[in-house]
Amino acid sequence: MYRYDDRDRTIIGERVTQFRGQTERYLAGELSEEQFLPLRLQNGLYIQRLAPMLRIAVPYGLLNSAQIRRLARISRDYDKGYAHFTTRQNLQFNWPQLEEVPDILAELAEVEMHAVQTSGNCIRNTTSDPYAGVARDEIVDPRPYCELIRQWSTFHPEFAFLPRKFKIAVNGATTDRAAIRVHDIGVQIVERDGEIGFQVLVGGGQGRTPVIAELIRDFLPERDLLSYLEAIVRIYNQLGRRDNKYKARIKILVKAMGAEEFARLVEAEWEKIKDGAEQLTPEALAWAKSFFTEPAYNAFDGAASDTALEQQAAEDKAFSRWLERNTFRHRVPGYRAVRLSTKPTGVPPGDVTDRQMEAIADLADAFSFGEARVTHDQNVVLADVQQDKLYEVWQTARAHGFATPNIGTLTDMICCPGGDYCSLANAKSIPIAEAIQRRFDDMDYLYDLGDLNLNISGCMNACGHHHVGHIGILGVDKKGEEFYQVQLGGSSSEQASLAKVLGPSFSRAEVTDVIGKILDLYVAERHPDELFIDTYNRIGLQPFKETVYAKAS
């Protein structure tokens, strides 16, 4: 992973000192709320419903064990002993004291972390595939490009005050595990005639106006990545609306002028800068890639390792279930990636305690070269686990509450903090998630349903990605009462689609019954080996609508 140099340490150290002074001036009444607002946002600090919320940057979700232990300590010493993994692969503290935030940032700086550009109208954390570098279907590891984008976009003076926040995702595999089609810029790594390059998509996003991104360049040479991104953000910075924040995202601009015209403007801008300072030299690319070299894997006979694992699984049904749902085939024989589930029943999705974070750090040190990754669906990946150590990892994970074998099932849901924390939320999300977890806790039933994404957002800002859930739930306000709108048919995959609204919203008490009716119809209508999204795409919304809203006879 990338390690700070002296310049990085100096910049982040000075930033902490600067924010300490700003905070002291605010608390002394020398800065107004309005003056302090952009200063705190530039350092990841929000004012939420009950307390400040501090969002910590986790570049493309990658953490080392020292960083995880420090996050655990911070949660214990400065918060309430837990933290929350977000859908941008970041981490949030929900209960810091404002006067202690500079101390937290100083602690983070000691382990090469910060909260810069985790909020505000700037380029946010670049996200990527949690299986980067280990996936069998990978074209090339996306992390060096993510790191180049991170360094280019951090403190970029031209893009510090964009019309709105700006999100970039990079995917390096044939399967899209980074949701690139619902990002402001989605970068897909491709190989053409032996040359690595990029497909570039723009104008995707969720929120109150969800849009699937459009392709504006089918092949961009590797050396031109940063200059082309710069051209895109320049056009957006110049022409994006600033008079209405609800119409300020790049998706609105691209929609208004058309992808073809937007691409024409980008290409014209790019012509002016493509041979300039942002062009990536072979040395620059080699430098970035040098931080993501292959760890010291042991050599295994892959077939023998697989056979031994199958025998072990055959002797223990619980281990077999976990192995099937919570591990991922590795490109190196004898290894697998392990997905630690943060979604046991009764725990808000993405929440982890200080002790659990320390357990993750211990697992990373013992079994995965000291690193772990945060996923965009709020779980944690140990990317490089020997297959002969999986049983031990499973037992340890189970002891710490991470081994619920529900990855990819209904209860492995994405859920925003909702009205329990967020001041923007219309309704609570976490109680809905828990009610669904408790209602559908039969693992055999969940396995029979197969892969199914359920995403919950507490408001139109869609932090819970409800627009791209196979089943999406959106909290809405109806005359001061919390209600929930159900949507069906969304996906953030290569065949990305936006969910359609089922009909009138429901009370909190009705939601689980509604989900039950939807699942019953799917089971009744599905063809053999057909997943929920396949059945939905074949039969459409109407049968689900008729079933859910049918009046009792």
Short mmCIF file of all heavy atoms in Angstrom, two decimals, residues 16-17 19-20 23-24 54 70 73-74 78 97-110:
data_model
loop_
_atom_site.label_atom_id
_atom_site.label_comp_id
_atom_site.label_asym_id
_atom_site.label_seq_id
_atom_site.Cartn_x
_atom_site.Cartn_y
_atom_site.Cartn_z
N VAL A 16 -3.46 19.67 10.32
CA VAL A 16 -3.99 19.46 11.67
C VAL A 16 -3.80 20.72 12.51
O VAL A 16 -4.72 21.18 13.20
CB VAL A 16 -3.30 18.25 12.34
CG1 VAL A 16 -3.71 18.16 13.81
CG2 VAL A 16 -3.64 16.97 11.60
N THR A 17 -2.62 21.31 12.43
CA THR A 17 -2.34 22.52 13.19
C THR A 17 -3.28 23.65 12.77
O THR A 17 -3.81 24.39 13.60
CB THR A 17 -0.88 22.95 12.96
OG1 THR A 17 -0.02 21.89 13.39
CG2 THR A 17 -0.55 24.22 13.74
N PHE A 19 -6.30 23.36 11.44
CA PHE A 19 -7.67 23.14 11.87
C PHE A 19 -7.81 23.29 13.39
O PHE A 19 -8.85 23.71 13.88
CB PHE A 19 -8.15 21.75 11.45
CG PHE A 19 -9.61 21.53 11.73
CD1 PHE A 19 -10.58 22.32 11.10
CD2 PHE A 19 -10.04 20.57 12.62
CE1 PHE A 19 -11.93 22.15 11.35
CE2 PHE A 19 -11.39 20.38 12.88
CZ PHE A 19 -12.34 21.18 12.24
N ARG A 20 -6.74 22.97 14.12
CA ARG A 20 -6.79 23.19 15.57
C ARG A 20 -7.01 24.67 15.86
O ARG A 20 -7.84 25.04 16.71
CB ARG A 20 -5.49 22.70 16.22
CG ARG A 20 -5.53 22.71 17.75
CD ARG A 20 -4.20 22.27 18.34
NE ARG A 20 -3.85 20.91 18.00
CZ ARG A 20 -4.35 19.82 18.60
NH1 ARG A 20 -5.23 19.98 19.57
NH2 ARG A 20 -3.98 18.62 18.23
N THR A 23 -10.60 25.66 14.95
CA THR A 23 -11.57 25.17 15.94
C THR A 23 -11.53 26.02 17.21
O THR A 23 -12.57 26.36 17.79
CB THR A 23 -11.28 23.70 16.27
OG1 THR A 23 -11.31 22.93 15.07
CG2 THR A 23 -12.30 23.13 17.24
N GLU A 24 -10.32 26.34 17.65
CA GLU A 24 -10.19 27.17 18.86
C GLU A 24 -10.81 28.54 18.65
O GLU A 24 -11.49 29.08 19.55
CB GLU A 24 -8.71 27.29 19.23
CG GLU A 24 -8.11 25.98 19.76
CD GLU A 24 -6.60 26.04 19.93
OE1 GLU A 24 -5.99 27.05 19.50
OE2 GLU A 24 -6.03 25.08 20.47
N LEU A 54 -17.52 12.72 12.32
CA LEU A 54 -16.23 12.88 11.66
C LEU A 54 -16.01 11.71 10.71
O LEU A 54 -16.00 10.55 11.12
CB LEU A 54 -15.10 12.92 12.69
CG LEU A 54 -13.69 13.12 12.13
CD1 LEU A 54 -13.56 14.47 11.44
CD2 LEU A 54 -12.65 12.99 13.25
N ARG A 70 -5.42 1.98 15.51
CA ARG A 70 -5.54 3.37 15.93
C ARG A 70 -7.01 3.82 15.84
O ARG A 70 -7.49 4.55 16.72
CB ARG A 70 -4.65 4.27 15.05
CG ARG A 70 -4.67 5.74 15.46
CD ARG A 70 -4.24 5.93 16.92
NE ARG A 70 -2.89 5.46 17.18
CZ ARG A 70 -1.79 6.21 17.08
NH1 ARG A 70 -1.90 7.48 16.76
NH2 ARG A 70 -0.60 5.70 17.31
N ARG A 73 -8.67 2.57 18.87
CA ARG A 73 -8.32 3.36 20.06
C ARG A 73 -9.04 4.70 20.07
O ARG A 73 -9.54 5.14 21.11
CB ARG A 73 -6.81 3.58 20.11
CG ARG A 73 -6.33 4.10 21.45
CD ARG A 73 -4.83 4.21 21.49
NE ARG A 73 -4.39 5.53 21.05
CZ ARG A 73 -3.12 5.88 20.91
NH1 ARG A 73 -2.17 4.99 21.12
NH2 ARG A 73 -2.78 7.10 20.54
N ILE A 74 -9.11 5.33 18.91
CA ILE A 74 -9.82 6.61 18.82
C ILE A 74 -11.30 6.42 19.17
O ILE A 74 -11.89 7.23 19.89
CB ILE A 74 -9.66 7.21 17.40
CG1 ILE A 74 -8.22 7.67 17.19
CG2 ILE A 74 -10.64 8.36 17.19
CD1 ILE A 74 -7.91 8.08 15.76
N TYR A 78 -12.24 8.67 22.24
CA TYR A 78 -12.89 9.93 21.86
C TYR A 78 -14.36 9.76 21.46
O TYR A 78 -15.04 10.76 21.21
CB TYR A 78 -12.16 10.55 20.66
CG TYR A 78 -10.73 10.93 20.95
CD1 TYR A 78 -9.68 10.07 20.64
CD2 TYR A 78 -10.42 12.17 21.50
CE1 TYR A 78 -8.37 10.42 20.88
CE2 TYR A 78 -9.10 12.54 21.75
CZ TYR A 78 -8.08 11.66 21.43
OH TYR A 78 -6.79 12.02 21.68
N GLN A 97 -16.41 14.79 20.28
CA GLN A 97 -16.62 16.14 20.81
C GLN A 97 -15.85 17.12 19.91
O GLN A 97 -14.70 16.86 19.57
CB GLN A 97 -16.11 16.24 22.25
CG GLN A 97 -16.85 15.32 23.21
CD GLN A 97 -18.34 15.65 23.30
OE1 GLN A 97 -18.70 16.80 23.52
NE2 GLN A 97 -19.19 14.65 23.14
N LEU A 98 -16.51 18.22 19.57
CA LEU A 98 -15.90 19.16 18.62
C LEU A 98 -14.51 19.59 19.09
O LEU A 98 -13.56 19.62 18.28
CB LEU A 98 -16.80 20.38 18.46
CG LEU A 98 -16.25 21.51 17.61
CD1 LEU A 98 -15.93 21.03 16.21
CD2 LEU A 98 -17.25 22.68 17.56
N GLU A 99 -14.37 19.90 20.37
CA GLU A 99 -13.09 20.40 20.85
C GLU A 99 -11.98 19.34 20.79
O GLU A 99 -10.80 19.66 20.88
CB GLU A 99 -13.21 20.94 22.27
CG GLU A 99 -13.69 19.95 23.31
CD GLU A 99 -15.21 19.89 23.42
OE1 GLU A 99 -15.90 20.26 22.44
OE2 GLU A 99 -15.72 19.46 24.48
N GLU A 100 -12.37 18.06 20.65
CA GLU A 100 -11.38 16.99 20.59
C GLU A 100 -11.05 16.55 19.17
O GLU A 100 -10.15 15.72 18.97
CB GLU A 100 -11.86 15.78 21.41
CG GLU A 100 -11.95 16.06 22.90
CD GLU A 100 -12.37 14.84 23.70
OE1 GLU A 100 -13.04 13.94 23.13
OE2 GLU A 100 -12.03 14.78 24.89
N VAL A 101 -11.78 17.07 18.19
CA VAL A 101 -11.54 16.64 16.81
C VAL A 101 -10.10 16.91 16.35
O VAL A 101 -9.48 16.05 15.72
CB VAL A 101 -12.57 17.28 15.86
CG1 VAL A 101 -12.17 17.08 14.39
CG2 VAL A 101 -13.95 16.67 16.11
N PRO A 102 -9.50 18.07 16.66
CA PRO A 102 -8.09 18.25 16.26
C PRO A 102 -7.16 17.19 16.86
O PRO A 102 -6.21 16.76 16.20
CB PRO A 102 -7.76 19.66 16.80
CG PRO A 102 -9.07 20.37 16.82
CD PRO A 102 -10.05 19.32 17.23
N ASP A 103 -7.45 16.76 18.10
CA ASP A 103 -6.63 15.70 18.69
C ASP A 103 -6.81 14.39 17.93
O ASP A 103 -5.85 13.63 17.73
CB ASP A 103 -7.01 15.49 20.16
CG ASP A 103 -6.68 16.71 21.02
OD1 ASP A 103 -5.75 17.44 20.65
OD2 ASP A 103 -7.36 16.92 22.04
N ILE A 104 -8.04 14.11 17.51
CA ILE A 104 -8.29 12.90 16.72
C ILE A 104 -7.51 12.96 15.41
O ILE A 104 -6.86 11.98 15.00
CB ILE A 104 -9.80 12.74 16.43
CG1 ILE A 104 -10.57 12.52 17.74
CG2 ILE A 104 -10.05 11.59 15.46
CD1 ILE A 104 -12.08 12.50 17.56
N LEU A 105 -7.56 14.13 14.75
CA LEU A 105 -6.84 14.27 13.47
C LEU A 105 -5.33 14.11 13.68
O LEU A 105 -4.64 13.54 12.82
CB LEU A 105 -7.16 15.62 12.84
CG LEU A 105 -8.63 15.84 12.45
CD1 LEU A 105 -8.82 17.23 11.88
CD2 LEU A 105 -9.10 14.78 11.45
N ALA A 106 -4.83 14.58 14.81
CA ALA A 106 -3.40 14.42 15.10
C ALA A 106 -3.06 12.94 15.30
O ALA A 106 -2.01 12.48 14.85
CB ALA A 106 -3.03 15.23 16.35
N GLU A 107 -3.95 12.23 15.97
CA GLU A 107 -3.72 10.78 16.14
C GLU A 107 -3.74 10.06 14.80
O GLU A 107 -2.93 9.16 14.54
CB GLU A 107 -4.79 10.20 17.06
CG GLU A 107 -4.69 10.66 18.50
CD GLU A 107 -4.64 9.48 19.46
OE1 GLU A 107 -4.38 8.34 19.00
OE2 GLU A 107 -4.86 9.71 20.66
N LEU A 108 -4.66 10.46 13.95
CA LEU A 108 -4.73 9.84 12.62
C LEU A 108 -3.48 10.11 11.81
O LEU A 108 -2.96 9.23 11.10
CB LEU A 108 -5.97 10.36 11.87
CG LEU A 108 -7.33 9.92 12.41
CD1 LEU A 108 -8.44 10.71 11.72
CD2 LEU A 108 -7.53 8.42 12.18
N ALA A 109 -2.97 11.33 11.90
CA ALA A 109 -1.77 11.69 11.14
C ALA A 109 -0.58 10.81 11.51
O ALA A 109 0.28 10.52 10.67
CB ALA A 109 -1.43 13.17 11.36
N GLU A 110 -0.56 10.37 12.77
CA GLU A 110 0.56 9.51 13.21
C GLU A 110 0.57 8.17 12.49
O GLU A 110 1.62 7.52 12.41
CB GLU A 110 0.46 9.29 14.73
CG GLU A 110 0.76 10.53 15.55
CD GLU A 110 0.60 10.29 17.04
OE1 GLU A 110 0.20 9.18 17.44
OE2 GLU A 110 0.88 11.23 17.81
#
